Amino acid sequence: MKLLHIDSSALGQNSVSRQLTAQIVAKWSASHPGTGVDYLDLVATPPSHLSADSLGFRMPPGAPEPSDTQRRENAVSEALVTQFLAADVLVVGAPLYNFAIPSQLKAWIDRVVQAGRTFKYTEKGPQGLAGRKIVIVASTRGGVYSTSEGGRAMEHQESYLQTVFGFLGITDIRFVRAEGLAMGEGHRAKAIAAAELDIRALVTEAANEPSAARAA
Ligand SMILES: Cc1cc2nc3c(=O)[nH]c(=O)nc-3n(C[C@H](O)[C@H](O)[C@H](O)COP(=O)(O)O)c2cc1C
């Protein structure tokens, strides 16, 4: 089984999502011996935002020969989409930044959402080509959004990740959430402890489910 571990928090050692993804990966690996782990730190090595040079994978057949810069950018996109497609399990650290995900994580998504590789359009509409994966998102937030309709409508982090991974055909998407992290020490400690309990339950549950067995 291959697991792709992705972090996108800019807060380094102080990041809660980095702490949670590390725990998820450690527990997953312990309950699935032989799991191969690839690690992508999108803050240390971010793919550049899409530009005329990095949109090669969207170029129609017969487009002009790519420049050296375009070839280099195409290789980055190819490496990222190949790594994504090879993974059975993705563990994604996704903090809430300005009501959405960090731009480095968005830049990675922009590289792996590729027509013909991870989705295609049919006469019936779009079809995801990257199914049969489990995605576990460690979601961290300064405020609390999950407990009210108004809060849920304001966040474009979990809802966006659910949509974009769903678009790629992935149906098994799980969230471990620590929210209210900026609402005082007591709240923060409780939120982290609750997320850590969720990790234990989630990994045990996932280890015994058919989707995990399929991925294995
Ligand atoms: C640039 C930036 C933007 C943020 N925007 C929001 C926000 O819109 N809503 C919110 O509840 N928290 C916001 N926060 C707080 C983070 O979600 C919170 O600190 C969380 O712990 C970050 O995850 P991390 O610890 O993994 O870095 C923001 C933090 C940063 C650094």
Side-chain angles (χ1 to χ4, degrees), residues 91-149:
V91 177
V92 183
L96 181 64
Y97 282 0
N98 300 322
F99 305 102
I101 57 172
S103 56
Q104 292 94 333
L105 182 54
K106 179 62 166 56
W108 174 81
I109 289 169
D110 286 340
R111 297 294 185 126
V112 301
V113 177
Q114 293 192 19
R117 301 295 295 282
T118 50
F119 77 95
K120 66 177 181 183
Y121 273 97
T122 70
E123 285 175 1
K124 291 184 182 153
Q127 184 188 336
L129 300 175
R132 296 169 68 94
K133 295 184 194 303
I134 299 169
V135 174
I136 305 173
V137 176
S139 157
T140 48
R141 299 163 168 180
V144 172
Y145 296 80
S146 70
T147 53
S148 69
E149 207 175 309

Side-chain angles (χ1 to χ4, degrees), residues 147-197:
T147 53
S148 69
E149 207 175 309
R152 288 190 291 274
M154 282 167 72
E155 69 83 14
H156 305 286
Q157 165 216 28
E158 291 187 17
S159 57
Y160 170 68
L161 292 171
Q162 183 86 47
T163 297
V164 75
F165 285 125
F167 180 76
L168 301 183
I170 302 170
T171 53
D172 193 342
I173 307 166
R174 301 155 193 239
F175 292 91
V176 171
R177 178 187 307 124
E179 63 180 349
L181 293 169
M183 293 170 63
E185 264 318 303
H187 206 299
R188 181 182 173 87
K190 268 193 202 153
I192 295 172
E196 288 176 344
L197 271 182

Side-chain angles (χ1 to χ4, degrees), residues 11-32:
L11 296 189
Q13 298 282 354
N14 297 320
S15 159
V16 176
S17 63
R18 284 176 183 263
Q19 188 182 314
L20 297 177
T21 58
Q23 287 184 27
I24 296 166
V25 172
K27 288 202 164 45
W28 186 280
S29 300
S31 61
H32 298 82

